[in-house]
Amino acid sequence: MSVPARTVRRAEQVEADVHVAVAIVGGGACGLTAALMLADAGVDCVVLERDALPSGSTALSSGFIPAPGTRAQLAHGVADDSAARFAADIQAKAHGRAAGALVDAYAAAIGPALDALQERHGLAWMLLDGFLYPGHSVHRMHALPQKTGASLMAALQAAVEAAGIPVLTQAVVDTLVLDPHDRVIGIDYLRPDGQHETLGCSALLLACNGFGGNTEMVRALLPEMAEATFGGHVGNDGSAVRWGESLGARLRDLGGYQGHGSWVTPQGALMSWAVMMEGGVQINREGRRFHDETQGYSEAAVHVLAQPGGIAWNVFDAPLLTLARGFPDFCEAEAAGALRRCESVAALADCIGCDSAVLQGTLDAMRSGTAPDGRVFTRGLDAPYFAVKVTGALFHTQGGLDTAPDMRVLRQNGTPFANLLAAGGAAGGVSGDAVWGYLSGNGLLSAVAGGYIAAHTAAALVQHKEASA
């Protein structure tokens, strides 16, 4: 995919039949969360979505969102979490290289955002308390009971429909319209019949995603992922970055992204990293472990791709299989034939295609307690063994438009555009500028918290404009 044609035009006023208080480009978790919060505030908005059905990266994810201090967390007896503790975990994973003001803003906003979605829009969060995801010091990962990103999108879409919020699908926004004072006054978008239409607005939120689906941008900005499978949404075409360049906006953390070292191949499904955290291992074609799996699934993508053939095997045993079957994505991969059962080390070696003695040594080392790479094992694996063939994948980028903590887009000199906002994948996230900075859930954290904050900012801008009119 080449860099898309995303342009900016200047006009004294916009010629549009329809004017809306807030226009939202992108109907993923970020855009729909923002729309719901705007509706709650009594501010009219329109969501413009390029696809026939809103989905985005959210629908392809596990749908898990980390948040402190929520009703769901407190109901499970987790009373020792806080926004400050969450922010510290985010920065620890990013080695202190995440944008501090945004880390604090997201950590403070995500709990109220999830509670608002639950109390006012019926999203029934549950807390995943069976294990800790990499980098989290306390159980704070939330999901809907179905435990899928598709179910999260379905719930958000149902809430948006119930609230009567218009979502214009198959609307490809290609041009932002700004007046001579750098205020957004409208957008131009393309309809399926080839006609261009214009929508006037008092504020604009870019809630479209990143650039992971744009092969040219990935090669230029993330060369280590140039040949990786892309497990994200094709709509991640770099639109926000392109508009930002045209506007002279500041970009941030373009080297940051979420990878995943557990992309099931050739079936093309995601296998939960919970299996690795609870005692599973990744073994290469030589029969050896090659990294500390508990450091995180994002950086694992790079480690897996560095192995012979860019392939590894997730190896685990019966208790871990039971855990894995609690995740719908794994069940789909198993149904597609991804799971191999091996009654002995020799059979497992045949499956992987490695030397049985080398593999035996790898498995024996797990029983010693602490591996040479520092990982601590509480037990070894017992036959029968189970194996799933995986590769490393790119899921979504974490860099984009730089924003103030209120989600207004910043110019190169650090001053904010008056009424142009960005959040979610369109904006720089809180993972720093490298793959290892991604803390589990950072993508949906920035989408939902960013959408929540942006809605409050846009509502205040619109209401101030109306009051002064």
Side-chain angles (χ1 to χ4, degrees):
M1 179 187 294
S2 61
V3 177
R6 297 292 183 256
T7 60
V8 173
R9 68 179 176 90
R10 301 283 177 170
E12 291 285 348
Q13 59 186 18
V14 67
E15 300 293 332
D17 293 331
V18 179
H19 185 282
V20 66
V22 183
I24 301 172
V25 179
C30 180
L32 297 188
T33 297
L36 290 168
M37 297 303 107
L38 285 167
D40 291 345
V43 176
D44 70 305
C45 68
V46 171
V47 179
L48 297 100
E49 167 58 43
R50 58 173 286 164
D51 293 336
L53 182 69
S55 60
S57 295
T58 301
L60 300 174
S61 73
S62 297
F64 300 164
I65 308 174
T70 64
R71 289 193 171 189
Q73 194 187 40
L74 294 172
H76 278 74
V78 181
D80 58 345
D81 201 7
S82 66
R85 182 172 182 174
F86 185 21
D89 285 351
I90 294 171
Q91 284 289 18
K93 189 68 171 69
H95 299 185
R97 289 163 64 169
L102 284 182
V103 171
D104 293 341
Y106 287 164
I110 190 61
L114 293 195
D115 282 349
L117 290 171
Q118 178 169 323
E119 294 161 16
R120 301 201 292 262
H121 299 288
L123 276 72
W125 303 112
M126 59 179 288
L127 190 72
L128 301 178
D129 59 358
F131 54 91
L132 281 176
Y133 272 86
H136 290 281
S137 62
V138 66
H139 293 116
R140 62 167 72 99
M141 200 68 79
H142 295 68
L144 296 182
Q146 301 91 333
K147 298 181 184 177
T148 66
S151 66
L152 173 57
M153 280 303 303
L156 289 170
Q157 289 168 37
V160 164
E161 184 175 350
I165 299 167
V167 178
L168 187 60
T169 57
Q170 295 182 295
V172 181
V173 178
D174 54 19
T175 303
L176 310 186
V177 187
L178 280 76
D179 70 14
H181 307 290
D182 258 1
R183 293 187 64 90
V184 179
I185 55 176
I187 52 176
D188 298 335
Y189 58 96
L190 186 67
R191 299 295 285 151
D193 62 3
Q195 295 297 310
H196 262 98
E197 297 182 10
T198 299
L199 175 70
C201 60
S202 298
L204 174 64
L205 169 61
L206 298 178
C208 45
N209 216 295
F211 59 86
N214 188 314
T215 54
E216 291 181 9
M217 294 182 76
V218 170
R219 287 184 185 280
L221 298 169
L222 309 174
E224 70 272 27
M225 287 286 111
E227 304 301 326
T229 298
F230 177 53
H233 188 267
V234 292
N236 290 213
D237 61 8
S239 294
V241 171
R242 186 70 167 171
W243 280 317
E245 291 172 339
S246 297
L247 286 168
R250 192 160 71 190
L251 303 174
R252 181 169 53 78
D253 293 340
L254 295 181
Y257 63 97
Q258 185 218 328
H260 209 295
S262 194
W263 183 254
V264 179
T265 184
Q267 288 80 8
L270 186 65
M271 179 174 166
S272 171
W273 204 250
V275 175
M276 297 298 110
M277 296 302 294
E278 291 299 296
V281 291
Q282 292 199 303
I283 293 176
N284 64 18
R285 286 179 172 175
E286 298 172 349
R288 296 182 172 88
R289 288 182 58 243
F290 50 89
H291 71 120
D292 177 357
E293 299 89 344
T294 63
Q295 292 301 301
Y297 54 76
S298 184
E299 54 266 56
V302 179
H303 294 308
V304 170
L305 289 170
Q307 302 311 302
I311 293 296
W313 291 83
N314 289 354
V315 176
F316 47 102
D317 59 7
L320 294 172
L321 176 61
T322 300
L323 172 66
R325 284 174 171 165
F327 296 88
D329 289 343
F330 177 84
C331 293
E332 293 175 10
E334 182 179 1
L339 184 67
R340 313 284 184 88
R341 178 187 174 111
C342 305
E343 300 297 335
S344 64
V345 173
L348 179 61
D350 286 341
C351 175
I352 295 173
C354 65
D355 182 89
S356 180
V358 172
L359 178 60
Q360 184 70 64
T362 298
L363 296 176
D364 287 345
M366 295 174 61
R367 300 185 184 278
S368 65
T370 301
D373 58 23
R375 179 174 178 180
V376 177
F377 289 96
T378 58
R379 69 178 184 88
L381 299 178
D382 297 311
Y385 304 101
F386 297 91
V388 174
K389 188 179 182 180
V390 299
T391 188
L394 169 64
F395 261 62
H396 56 79
T397 52
Q398 285 283 289
L401 297 170
D402 199 4
T403 64
D406 65 1
M407 300 297 108
R408 286 189 296 169
V409 175
L410 299 176
R411 299 180 179 86
Q412 290 284 356
N413 64 7
T415 61
F417 287 86
N419 65 341
L420 174 62
L421 301 92
V430 289
S431 300
D433 57 358
V435 64
W436 41 257
Y438 186 88
L439 180 69
S440 301
N442 268 4
L444 279 172
L445 164 67
S446 61
V448 176
Y452 178 87
I453 296 169
H456 285 80
T457 301
L461 290 171
V462 169
Q463 290 161 354
H464 175 75
K465 179 180 178 181
E466 292 174 348
S468 59

